[in-house]
Amino acid sequence: MRPKGLPIYLCAMFNQRTKIKTLLDGEANNQEVTVMGWVRTFRNNQFIALNDGSTNTNLQVVAELGSFDDEFLKRVTTSAALKVRGILVPSLGKGQKMELKATAIEILGDSDPEKYPLQPKKHSLEFLREIAHLRFRTNTFGSVFRVRHALAYAIHKFYNERGFLYIHTPIITGSDAEGAGEMFRVSTLPFDNPPRNEDGSINYKEDFFGRNTNLTVSGQLEGELAATAFGEIYTFGPTFRAENSNTSRHLAEFWMIEPEMAFYDIEDNMNLAESFIKYLIAYVMEHNREDLEFLAQRQADEEKQLPQDKRSDMGLIEKLEFVLKNDFERITYTEAIDILLQSPAYKKKKFQYDVSWGIDMQSEHERYLVEKHFKKPVIVRNYPKHIKAFYMRQNDDGKTVAAMDILAPGIGEIVGGSQREERMDKLVERMKEMHIPTDELWWYLDTRRFGTVPHSGFGLGFERMVQFVTGMGNIRDVIPFPRTPKTAEF
Ligand code: ATP
Ligand code: MN
């Protein structure tokens, strides 16, 4: 019960706690506070490094000698959960500006040090992936996921400030026509004995939705429907691709931001994408400085083990500042191919895959352009139409489409987008050429039937953006529970 007149937060048992970051950002004035968190280390039977996930910096809790029972202190082990009440005082010791002189310590949850797999030492990222349920409790993943959160927030902020509507597109989709990647089937039919048609094929009319359904690979087509009513919209949701790519940049389940804008041509599209990326970087630079500094140091330490030519030219923060300050390079696909053909790498046969006009550039080509040639993000536009999707607007040359990809140092493709084909006849012609069933996409084609307008959009892979900002080399380390071929633990 709440005594009359007392604000609710003074009565709650748990919410009277102060977060460690809030304490560390302020001053120690001998005020009494309560903190809760998990023990990182306990030394000299006196000093507890407590962490509550609000920052990587632990709060030093001092359990003065003689004030606490020895048997009790034995339970203060790494990862035990504590509630500590105490007086916040300036610290005399080196390494921290304040410490909490404990007056009361309560153990909320014990942790058996013999069994707890995380020791206060450096673990490899590979090992931590195997205990992804606990890796949140490390400094590296603390920083990564706080930055990931900040980016997600900044994405909504960016679009909200510009009047874009957040649209939720379906996760289960009836259209498998887009061809952006291999799809995961969604079905409730029995695997071992599905109902069949007379010709032996599976009878999806008996399935849950009465048709064949899949997990979405992109919300774009539905996004276009909304954009042709609201003008500017975006989606931000999970997408699924059953592509068997075991790379450091591909997940089977990843999050994508897909803005779609009526009355935008390809130039407007590129301008939006560039300012979007810069806005996200600026946001994190301003709000997550401490985490970025930690991640920058982590990357620098990791690169010390690499040969000189494999190390980054710039530190993480330097790189982000550089990207903020400079315009992205903008070139056409044809120019990109010419640069590759003229490159020393090509002449010395350093590329594994051949280069000629018409190829779908491989990661090694994209990385050459951004990392070796331009040394900054590059927007490539006007790709050959035969390597791009049916909905991209055909250019007058008859060979290329108004597509644009943004390539980022260390990552490769981070954004894929285009101006969409708004001309019904051209769109239908292209669909027929590519064997896309026009009858199944009748609803999509209606946008071109009823008040069609020039419009554009793109998809930013959220995890690739998190990789770029955090400097993490493997995409499995920027999503809490990665799904990749042969792994779906947790
Ligand atoms: P890639 O050539 O790298 O496989 P894509 O051409 O298949 O990419 P799009 O279909 O254009 O990519 O998707 C838009 C964006 O989504 C990409 O620019 C990328 O940032 C991201 N993305 C695509 N596939 C994946 C994946 N499997 N895992 C994580 N992000 C992805
Ligand atoms: Mn792909």
Side-chain angles (χ1 to χ4, degrees):
M1 269 269 308
R2 174 155 59 116
K4 267 210 174 88
L6 257 193
I8 201 159
Y9 60 84
L10 285 182
C11 311
M13 183 184 86
F14 281 102
N15 290 329
Q16 60 185 300
R17 79 170 168 124
T18 312
K19 294 215 177 167
I20 289 173
K21 182 166 192 332
T22 311
L23 293 181
L24 295 175
D25 285 346
E27 295 298 321
N29 297 322
N30 300 310
Q31 67 271 43
E32 187 174 53
V33 297
T34 301
V35 295
M36 298 182 206
W38 294 266
V39 176
R40 283 285 172 87
T41 59
F42 184 32
R43 51 184 184 86
N44 298 349
N45 225 23
Q46 201 178 353
F47 301 108
I48 305 168
L50 197 72
N51 189 283
D52 68 359
S54 59
T55 162
N56 275 348
T57 314
N58 301 321
L59 178 68
Q60 168 147 295
V61 173
V62 186
E64 274 180 314
L65 289 175
S67 312
F68 296 89
D69 192 68
D70 272 352
E71 277 312 300
F72 174 80
L73 290 178
K74 275 191 193 138
R75 291 172 59 202
V76 179
T77 55
T78 296
S79 213
L82 304 188
K83 172 180 178 180
V84 183
R85 198 159 179 78
I87 311 292
L88 199 63
V89 296
S91 176
L92 300 176
K94 280 204 199 89
Q96 64 273 322
K97 72 171 184 181
M98 61 181 76
E99 60 192 24
L100 187 66
K101 262 169 62 180
T103 49
I105 301 177
E106 189 184 323
I107 295 189
L108 300 173
D110 290 282
S111 175
D112 183 344
E114 300 295 311
K115 297 198 177 125
Y116 184 62
L118 276 174
Q119 298 309 317
K121 63 159 198 168
K122 251 204 161 14
H123 292 289
S124 74
L125 295 173
E126 289 77 11
F127 170 72
L128 292 173
R129 248 170 253 153
E130 288 166 22
I131 51 164
H133 61 305
L134 293 173
R135 68 179 179 170
F136 290 127
R137 298 186 190 188
T138 64
N139 283 339
T140 296
F141 289 95
S143 288
V144 166
F145 291 117
R146 280 188 297 269
V147 169
R148 184 180 164 111
H149 161 80
L151 285 170
Y153 175 74
I155 285 162
H156 289 298
K157 191 162 148 46
F158 175 86
Y159 287 114
N160 187 57
E161 284 167 2
R162 282 158 188 75
F164 284 57
L165 240 61
Y166 178 30
I167 296 288
H168 297 100
T169 51
I171 289 171
I172 298 174
T173 140
S175 81
D176 57 1
E178 207 216 322
E182 296 291 313
M183 301 183 106
F184 289 101
R185 177 156 294 163
V186 176
S187 172
T188 54
L189 293 179
F191 276 140
D192 33 8
N193 187 23
R196 294 194 185 270
N197 298 313
E198 279 179 5
D199 64 359
S201 60
I202 293 174
N203 181 4
Y204 288 107
K205 292 215 170 64
E206 304 252 318
D207 206 345
F208 188 91
F209 295 106
R211 59 185 297 161
N212 179 12
T213 50
N214 295 285
L215 292 178
T216 185
V217 293
S218 156
Q220 180 201 316
L221 299 189
E222 291 89 351
E224 286 186 53
L225 310 180
T228 49
F230 296 113
E232 293 161 316
I233 67 96
Y234 70 106
T235 72
F236 182 7
T239 49
F240 308 85
R241 297 191 185 176
E243 49 192 2
N244 203 356
S245 342
N246 250 309
T247 76
S248 56
R249 300 170 302 112
H250 287 93
L251 292 164
E253 175 181 301
F254 65 99
W255 290 66
M256 187 149 61
I257 302 98
E258 294 182 279
E260 195 64 42
M261 300 77 63
F263 321 114
Y264 273 52
D265 67 11
I266 187 86
E267 291 290 329
D268 300 320
N269 201 22
M270 292 191 287
N271 293 342
L272 180 76
E274 181 168 342
S275 56
F276 177 40
I277 290 174
K278 287 180 170 170
Y279 181 97
L280 297 184
I281 293 174
Y283 184 87
V284 171
M285 295 271 269
E286 187 183 337
H287 295 90
N288 297 71
R289 196 70 196 189
E290 196 188 325
D291 286 320
L292 286 182
E293 275 162 12
F294 176 86
L295 291 163
Q297 189 57 48
R298 194 205 69 85
Q299 190 188 53
D301 291 345
E302 195 182 73
E303 290 194 355
K304 276 190 200 135
Q305 294 151 22
L306 296 176
Q308 199 76 42
D309 64 323
K310 290 260 152 56
R311 297 183 198 167
S312 325
D313 295 340
M314 293 181 216
L316 180 64
I317 292 183
E318 239 184 316
K319 174 189 85 176
L320 296 175
E321 274 165 356
F322 178 85
V323 170
L324 275 186
K325 273 208 299 273
N326 291 283
D327 289 341
F328 293 5
E329 194 69 37
R330 297 185 184 197
I331 58 170
T332 64
Y333 169 89
T334 303
E335 285 162 350
I337 294 295
D338 285 342
I339 291 168
L340 292 173
L341 289 172
Q342 299 302 321
S343 68
Y346 178 76
K347 289 181 177 156
K348 289 185 199 146
K349 299 197 169 24
K350 289 262 175 69
F351 291 133
Q352 195 189 336
Y353 295 90
D354 201 13
V355 179
S356 64
W357 199 94
I359 60 160
D360 199 357
M361 279 189 276
Q362 297 291 322
S363 158
E364 57 175 352
H365 305 136
E366 298 179 341
R367 295 186 70 157
Y368 178 86
L369 290 173
V370 284
E371 285 158 32
K372 294 277 184 313
H373 191 82
F374 290 112
K375 297 184 192 294
K376 58 166 153 163
V378 178
I379 311 184
V380 183
R381 67 175 187 283
N382 296 344
Y383 281 81
K385 66 176 181 185
H386 68 269
I387 57 170
K388 289 291 184 186
F390 72 89
Y391 49 71
M392 298 189 177
R393 193 174 196 280
Q394 296 169 55
N395 289 327
D396 292 340
D397 61 12
K399 295 189 304 193
T400 61
V401 286
M404 63 103 182
D405 281 4
I406 302 186
L407 315 176
I411 311 283
E413 183 187 328
I414 191 163
V415 160
S418 68
Q419 182 168 342
R420 317 305 188 192
E421 183 57 82
E422 84 283 11
R423 298 162 296 185
M424 183 67 147
D425 51 335
K426 296 257 183 206
L427 181 59
V428 169
E429 179 191 300
R430 192 73 192 127
M431 288 171 83
K432 291 200 169 127
E433 277 168 20
M434 296 177 75
H435 307 290
I436 312 275
T438 47
D439 51 341
E440 262 183 49
L441 287 178
W442 62 274
W443 46 272
Y444 180 71
L445 291 172
D446 266 4
T447 55
R448 275 59 167 181
R449 256 178 217 119
F450 307 123
T452 191
V453 286
H455 64 290
S456 299
F458 62 84
L460 170 75
F462 184 49
E463 283 74 20
R464 292 199 190 166
M465 187 66 200
V466 182
Q467 272 191 284
F468 187 67
V469 173
T470 59
M472 298 300 283
N474 195 315
I475 199 164
R476 293 165 180 79
D477 297 328
V478 297
I479 188 165
F481 303 105
R483 269 85 183 94
T484 51
K486 301 281 179 282
T487 40
E489 187 80 53
F490 309 108

